[in-house]
Amino acid sequence: MPRLNGTVKWFDATKGFGFVVSCDECPDVLLHANVLYDFGVSSVLEGSRITCEVVHTERGVQVSEIFSLEPPVSDPVSVLAQILPGVTDVTALLDAADLMPARVKWFDRGKGFGFVNVFGRKEDIFVHVEVMRAFGFAELERGSAICVKFTEGPRGLVAIALQHWDDAA
């Protein structure tokens, strides 16, 4: 079975599939959600680097096993500077905020935002899709436990950092 080093072109968790590319001239390689589940994740960010095994089928080339998956490099500071234009020192803001346990209330990728709630607090915390992506999240599923840093924004609380629950320990 051939091994492929490529990039996730796109992935739609609702549809349950996406595509991987390895070069401009190469055909797209189907990436099915079941292969991601076998690797231990339910979705993947566009632009993620992937090393995988592929198989040739009657319907084309498909990923059969994933060996490594790395999210795209992102600069959270520049993302936050765009979302919070009045903040002059984003790094200091990130350093000062505490990482708090939270649960995803809802998130809509199509709308580009959603909300989380910190355990023990009633206020909703706004999460922008670019903050989600900047911290390596492909999806935020309703009810999922995560960790969040937040601050007061112009219209309420705003997430400035997200971390996977399992990585916070």
Side-chain angles (χ1 to χ4, degrees):
M1 305 267 182
R3 197 174 264 222
L4 173 85
N5 293 312
T7 304
V8 176
K9 185 175 182 178
W10 63 268
F11 186 83
D12 187 325
T14 304
K15 292 180 179 178
F17 70 92
F19 290 94
V20 172
V21 293
S22 59
C23 67
D24 290 336
E25 299 81 33
C26 300
D28 291 354
V29 178
L30 178 70
L31 175 60
H32 195 274
N34 289 339
V35 178
L36 281 175
Y37 296 148
D38 290 345
F39 186 70
V41 296
S42 60
S43 192
V44 61
L45 280 170
E46 292 85 1
S48 294
R49 300 287 307 150
I50 185 171
T51 301
C52 56
E53 185 175 87
V54 297
V55 295
H56 297 272
T57 69
E58 293 174 0
R59 300 173 76 183
V61 184
Q62 297 182 14
V63 174
S64 60
E65 183 177 358
I66 297 172
F67 300 113
S68 70
L69 194 58
E70 298 173 24
V73 176
S74 181
D75 179 19
V77 173
S78 64
V79 167
L80 291 171
Q82 292 175 0
I83 293 171
L84 301 169
V87 176
T88 55
D89 191 351
V90 174
T91 303
L93 182 66
L94 281 167
D95 290 343
D98 291 327
L99 194 62
M100 306 288 289
R103 184 146 330 264
V104 177
K105 184 174 183 179
W106 64 268
F107 193 87
D108 186 327
R109 273 183 84 178
K111 291 180 179 179
F113 67 91
F115 294 91
V116 300
N117 297 112
V118 167
F119 294 118
R121 296 184 67 153
K122 293 180 181 180
E123 307 95 341
D124 288 343
I125 301 169
F126 176 82
V127 180
H128 193 279
V129 69
E130 292 303 324
V131 171
M132 180 192 81
R133 289 179 180 150
F135 287 91
F137 284 80
E139 297 285 336
L140 286 176
E141 295 180 19
R142 180 185 298 253
S144 296
I146 63 169
C147 292
V148 61
K149 288 185 177 188
F150 59 95
T151 191
E152 188 69 40
R155 292 199 243 159
L157 299 178
V158 179
I160 58 172
L162 301 175
Q163 191 171 357
H164 291 276
W165 182 262
D166 293 339
D167 296 339

